[in-house]
Amino acid sequence: MGFRAGMDKNQEILAISRLVFELSQIGDTDLDDTLSRLFDLLRSLPGIRVLPRSMITLRNRRGQPIQIAQHGLPPVWANADLARQRTSVTIAPETAAYLATPASLQPPLLVAELAPDAPCFVLPLNGESYTAGRLIIFIEPDWQPDAVEFEFMTDLARAISMLVSRCLINETLRVREVELEDARTDAIRRLGTASEYRDNETGMHIMRMTHFATAIAKALGLPPETRELLSICAPMHDVGKIGIPDAILLKPGRLSADEYEVMKTHTDIGKRLLNGEDNLIQTAQDIAACHHEHWDGNGYPQGLAGEAIPLLARICAVSDVFDALTSVRPYKEPWPFEEAVAWVRTNSGSHFDPAVVAAFDQALPEIMRIRQLYRDDIIDPNQMLDFPETLYRDSKWVHWDDSLRVGIDVIDEHHRYLFDLTNDLFEVVSTKQSSREVARVLKALDQYVEIHFRAEERMMEHYGYGGLQEQQTQHGEFEERLGEFYEELHNNPLTAPFDILVYLRSWLVGHILNEDAQLRELLVSAV
């Protein structure tokens, strides 16, 4: 006997119980897999005539429905043009499953692969007192569900609501974990930055040196978790300078022998400051204490040699010295890039670990790029850059092409890096990584956006660009929106990543083509 003809309440309860049990075994972060399994389970029930097409939409904080999972349909980023057409609506509380079509929903569901009149079951996904979203299951056009099947779908909606709620809670907890980690690492970074500001006007040295170090670590083949640890701890390399008198730290000329001995104590001061039991503090301590040790044992403070020097400290030694050589200091002018590279190579096996120097050579294209992205001076619109194309990754979400060039090489490089970060976010979302990773990438994007906007604005102000105020307004609005997205990630980590992706591509491309393209006029005024 078929489902419609003979399924009584007890059988329905058993079927729902089996569905809930089987779905509860599914990983709590992969809602796409949940929908795939759900289709297989529904097809196993006699009389339920569903198609292999379904999606889950949840409302964001603006009331817009965001597609967060799908089975047999393209993801939201495949139809970004349609996704941008979302409108905010107030959805009245829905308590039962019902039949609809994409065109009849409020707001209308835009799915390029389906006709507007394709029949579907709409299963409300409810919170405590409101409809948070919907599970939409497309069905065979000639299927006419009966009262028992409607009730079955309503019960199923409640079960799926619980699963989505569980997923939301788990992802929110993961974001909270990132918050706690960030609170600690931000305190560490701020301490390192405070020491850097004492003898470096802009503090960009600490950013360049850290990125140099992580590029070298990547070339060495160190795992991502080690590189992440390095990126947190490298800014602490000179924290001990907090204890060095200004008369020595800021002296414009060479230090005397006695003054140099005082300066050297910053490694011991850093070691004492960074006293703790956990791995992060101990790693920061190793770097602060040992980044002036030499491979041949002629460094300080302990005269360590070879592999007795912690590896991350050996990496920071190369990164710190190279940036110091190529940067302005109170006591010297910057060395030319090629001379600084040659000096590092010459000191391989004496001052530096040969393996780290080899990785430094391999990472040079990325290091050259970092120097332009995190620069101290005002951007010269006429400066020409020539980086190898092998430096750039294949774009998967935001595609770079010559139509996006504004003609100012350094600005173009900034934009390409913003595209890289946006594509990093796409990679995290599209490969279904956790909200922890989304939060990390979004924070990195937010931090670089601030650096890029301020560098661009300093250039505009220096060369008297007439559109500066409008650019500042748009930059501020974008930064505010990123802040809102970061807040939304904490409140609803299931919708925020998809919302961010669509917004980023639209804003970045539009801003470059409509606003930054006008910066070409600075090429004339700067000559």
Side-chain angles (χ1 to χ4, degrees):
M1 186 175 292
F3 186 99
R4 293 177 61 193
M7 187 176 191
D8 60 21
K9 190 64 178 178
N10 289 333
Q11 289 174 314
E12 176 191 350
I13 291 172
L14 287 173
I16 283 286
S17 297
R18 182 165 68 92
L19 280 169
V20 172
F21 175 76
E22 294 201 31
L23 289 173
S24 69
Q25 307 308 304
I26 298 172
D28 56 17
T29 59
D30 193 346
L31 291 175
D32 290 342
D33 190 44
T34 297
L35 292 183
S36 177
R37 292 283 299 279
L38 176 60
F39 171 74
D40 291 340
L41 291 169
L42 290 175
R43 291 285 285 184
S44 70
L45 298 175
I48 297 290
R49 296 167 58 189
V50 296
L51 297 175
R53 299 186 187 92
S54 60
M55 67 168 65
I56 293 175
T57 65
L58 293 181
R59 289 191 296 162
N60 64 12
R61 62 188 302 172
R62 291 170 295 282
Q64 299 168 323
I66 306 296
Q67 179 183 331
I68 66 163
Q70 56 282 317
H71 171 64
L73 293 170
V76 64
W77 52 80
N79 285 325
D81 292 336
L82 294 179
R84 283 197 297 273
Q85 300 175 28
R86 295 189 304 259
T87 56
S88 300
V89 297
T90 300
I91 301 178
E94 299 171 341
T95 58
Y98 59 94
L99 289 179
T101 65
S104 69
L105 291 171
Q106 292 299 319
L109 181 64
L110 302 172
V111 184
E113 287 72 16
L114 294 172
D117 59 350
C120 58
F121 250 119
V122 179
L123 282 61
L125 304 179
N126 292 321
E128 293 182 357
S129 59
Y130 64 96
T131 298
R134 293 160 169 162
L135 167 57
I136 299 168
I137 303 174
F138 289 90
I139 64 175
E140 295 182 7
D142 59 347
W143 180 37
Q144 296 296 321
D146 61 19
V148 173
E149 290 159 350
F150 271 100
E151 188 174 357
F152 173 83
M153 287 294 185
T154 296
D155 289 342
L156 178 60
R158 296 190 188 101
I160 300 298
S161 293
M162 290 177 10
L163 289 173
V164 172
S165 294
R166 186 184 70 180
C167 182
L168 180 60
I169 290 170
N170 288 340
E171 288 301 310
T172 301
L173 289 174
R174 290 186 176 99
V175 176
R176 294 286 187 267
E177 290 173 359
V178 174
E179 275 188 321
L180 293 174
E181 291 173 5
D182 283 347
R184 182 175 65 156
T185 57
D186 278 351
I188 291 175
R189 287 191 180 102
R190 288 178 187 276
L191 184 58
T193 303
S195 66
E196 184 59 33
Y197 269 109
R198 292 194 62 218
D199 68 339
N200 186 290
E201 185 177 349
T202 68
M204 284 293 184
H205 162 69
I206 207 167
M207 296 183 185
R208 288 192 300 269
M209 174 266 179
T210 299
H211 284 287
F212 291 167
T214 53
I216 292 170
K218 186 174 183 178
L220 275 170
L222 299 187
E225 56 271 19
T226 303
R227 302 200 303 267
E228 176 72 15
L229 183 64
L230 176 61
S231 73
I232 295 169
C233 297
M236 299 299 292
H237 68 289
D238 275 341
V239 68
K241 286 184 177 180
I242 286 175
I244 304 300
D246 283 351
I248 295 175
L249 189 66
L250 304 179
K251 183 176 179 179
R254 283 188 171 277
L255 300 179
S256 68
D258 289 342
E259 290 169 334
Y260 183 58
E261 289 303 313
V262 174
M263 178 65 84
K264 287 163 63 176
T265 64
H266 80 276
T267 55
D268 290 321
I269 296 170
K271 182 177 181 178
R272 292 198 301 272
L273 284 172
L274 298 168
N275 187 25
E277 298 297 326
D278 66 58
N279 187 41
L280 189 148
I281 293 296
Q282 289 182 349
T283 300
Q285 184 186 61
D286 284 344
I287 291 172
C290 301
H291 70 287
H292 283 292
E293 300 285 5
H294 293 185
W295 183 254
D296 62 6
N298 290 320
Y300 67 87
Q302 300 180 69
L304 300 177
E307 294 186 359
I309 306 168
L311 174 58
L312 299 189
R314 283 179 259 154
I315 293 172
C316 287
V318 174
S319 305
D320 185 35
V321 169
F322 180 74
D323 190 66
L325 291 175
T326 55
S327 301
V328 175
R329 288 290 185 267
Y331 50 85
K332 75 169 189 67
E333 290 299 314
W335 286 25
F337 181 82
E338 294 77 11
E339 290 183 20
V341 171
W343 193 90
V344 170
R345 290 169 176 162
T346 299
N347 284 271
S348 175
S350 54
H351 192 143
F352 305 122
D353 176 354
V356 173
V357 174
F360 165 81
D361 269 335
Q362 184 179 339
L364 269 179
E366 182 65 22
I367 288 171
M368 292 168 62
R369 189 187 195 195
I370 292 165
R371 289 181 68 245
Q372 297 302 327
L373 298 173
Y374 297 88
R375 56 193 298 153
D376 293 302
D377 56 340
I378 292 172
I379 295 171
D380 177 1
N382 293 313
Q383 180 183 356
M384 304 295 290
L385 300 178
D386 185 19
F387 296 151
E389 280 299 317
T390 54
L391 179 67
Y392 305 111
R393 292 169 285 171
D394 293 334
S395 298
K396 294 183 177 180
W397 172 241
V398 196
H399 302 281
W400 179 267
D401 59 53
D402 286 343
S403 70
L404 295 168
R405 294 185 182 276
V406 303
I408 299 174
D409 279 11
V410 177
I411 296 297
D412 286 337
E413 202 59 39
H414 278 229
H415 290 162
R416 292 187 75 152
Y417 189 63
L418 285 173
F419 277 31
D420 283 350
L421 290 171
T422 303
N423 284 319
D424 286 344
L425 182 62
F426 171 80
E427 183 74 15
V428 167
V429 175
S430 64
T431 56
K432 307 175 187 177
Q433 297 181 44
S434 76
S435 296
R436 289 171 58 92
E437 297 307 312
V438 175
R440 287 197 176 99
V441 177
L442 184 58
K443 186 164 188 178
L445 178 65
D446 184 49
Q447 289 172 340
Y448 186 72
V449 160
E450 182 179 1
I451 290 168
H452 163 61
F453 284 164
R454 301 298 88 79
E456 203 172 53
E457 290 163 7
R458 286 196 303 270
M459 178 192 70
M460 295 180 203
E461 183 177 18
H462 181 79
Y463 291 104
Y465 179 65
L468 171 60
Q469 187 172 356
E470 175 61 25
Q471 285 268 16
Q472 288 174 322
T473 298
Q474 293 192 22
H475 292 170
E477 291 172 350
F478 182 78
E479 290 176 285
E480 183 178 351
R481 190 67 179 276
L482 281 186
E484 291 174 356
F485 280 135
Y486 196 76
E487 181 181 346
E488 184 166 343
L489 186 64
H490 293 67
N491 296 326
N492 193 337
L494 298 184
T495 63
F498 303 98
D499 219 0
I500 295 165
L501 277 179
V502 174
Y503 174 77
L504 280 177
R505 185 166 76 169
S506 175
W507 193 92
L508 287 174
V509 172
H511 184 75
I512 291 171
L513 292 176
N514 298 321
E515 298 296 332
D516 285 349
Q518 299 177 44
L519 294 173
R520 290 189 181 94
E521 69 182 61
L522 296 182
L523 290 167
V524 178
S525 60
V527 174

